[in-house]
Amino acid sequence: MRIGILTGGGDCPGLNAVIRAVVRKGAGHGDEVVGFRDGWRGVLDADSVPLDLAAVRGILPRGGTVLGTSRTNPYAVDGGPERVLATLERLGIEALIPIGGEDTLGVATRLGEAGVRVVGVPKTIDNDLDATDYTFGFDTAVGVAMEAIDRLHTTGDSHHRTLVVEVMGRHAGWIALHAGMAGGASVVLIPEHPFDVDAVVEHCRHRFASGFSPIVVVSEGAAPRDGSLRTSSGATDAFGHVRLGGIGPALAAVLEERTGRESRAVVLGHVQRGGTPSPFDRVLATRFGLAAVDAVHDGATGIMVALRGTDIVRVRLSEATAQLKLVPPERYAEAEVFFG
Ligand code: F6P
């Protein structure tokens, strides 16, 4: 078969492991794999590269994506869907494996409904895709954030400062929750649970009183209950997502004023997305790639491979992209036990 593959949306550690697995597994079937450059942009512009065994040697531990990525939305481009269909037809692509988050897979869902054979692979450091227990990239991002928190504890304690760590995650607090719990944060603030500034101040004071300095982990999408500290510039991407960031420094300024202790903010940003994938992410990404090729050869379409427990299963793409997976209150309550 001739299989197309692309990586769309924000890059994330493990994308190359999927590409490698698709090519290696496909080679066993005698498949030809065609990589599209820069996500849906490459399909729109028929910008592709053949992917054979030699092309994927050595890429397993590499972060990012050898195919490049973009946040291009063909449905936001005049005549976009028609151009996508024309490219697939011209290149003789019999099945497409898009690797992405809710946006990339949302496009895949619509193309599947338009008759394209699609098998999606879920990725995002945010871990906010419903229908899969985990996306690859998340474990690596949490590891990076946890290491940062570990390091910040020692410098914060030495200087008797509050350190506010802003992490990514968009509208889901998974990275903050896991990194904060793993790193022993004094407070974790997530978008799903608008926070009370007074309570954060109290937790910081309590931590100082115990002889240690507070670490406040704040998710980029978190906001106070009273509507203060609005930080978004309002800029949006092709899928209409607002660009987040800035809550960490804004909160640090308030905490400094309210606690009378020096406060600094560390915005981890894209460091969380870069670099080599963790073992968990390499294995999950590899298993997703293998399962995607199996699905293609079984004639499946309009589906996404997903992790349920320890099994790789197939779910409807429409189900996978219908809603975001957010942190449930009971998971946040577990983290709250350690606040202060
Ligand atoms: O979805 C992954 C993610 O890293 C989010 O956590 C973050 O809000 C967004 O992408 C940042 O996107 P960009 O790299 O385009 O600024």
Side-chain angles (χ1 to χ4, degrees), residues 3-9 15 18-19 22 33-36 39-40 43 67 69 74 84 88 93 95-112 116-123 129 136 288-289 292-293 296 300-305 317 321:
I3 300 173
I5 185 169
L6 63 93
T7 52
L15 287 169
V18 181
I19 296 168
V22 166
V33 180
V34 174
F36 289 100
W40 295 114
V43 191
L67 285 175
T69 186
V84 166
L88 299 179
I93 303 294
L96 196 56
I97 301 183
I99 311 167
E102 47 151 348
D103 298 330
T104 305
L105 296 182
V107 171
T109 307
R110 294 175 74 172
L111 288 174
V116 177
R117 175 130 36 122
V118 281
V119 171
V121 174
K123 73 85 219 180
L129 267 185
F136 65 85
F288 277 164
V293 174
V296 163
T301 184
I303 60 124
M304 180 186 91
V305 294
L317 261 174
T321 55

Side-chain angles (χ1 to χ4, degrees), residues 174-252:
W174 292 109
I175 297 177
L177 184 83
H178 280 231
M181 188 177 266
S186 319
V187 191
V188 176
L189 305 172
I190 63 172
E192 295 87 340
H193 187 92
F195 62 88
D196 175 9
V197 177
D198 292 341
V200 179
V201 170
E202 238 0 271
H203 290 313
C204 291
R205 288 199 180 121
H206 184 262
R207 180 75 177 168
F208 278 123
S210 72
F212 293 89
S213 296
I215 302 278
V216 177
V217 174
V218 59
S219 179
E220 62 181 357
R225 250 183 243 163
D226 61 11
S228 62
L229 302 182
R230 291 279 163 229
T231 51
S232 168
S233 66
T236 53
D237 66 17
F239 289 90
H241 296 297
V242 70
R243 187 178 296 170
L244 297 169
I247 183 70
L251 181 60

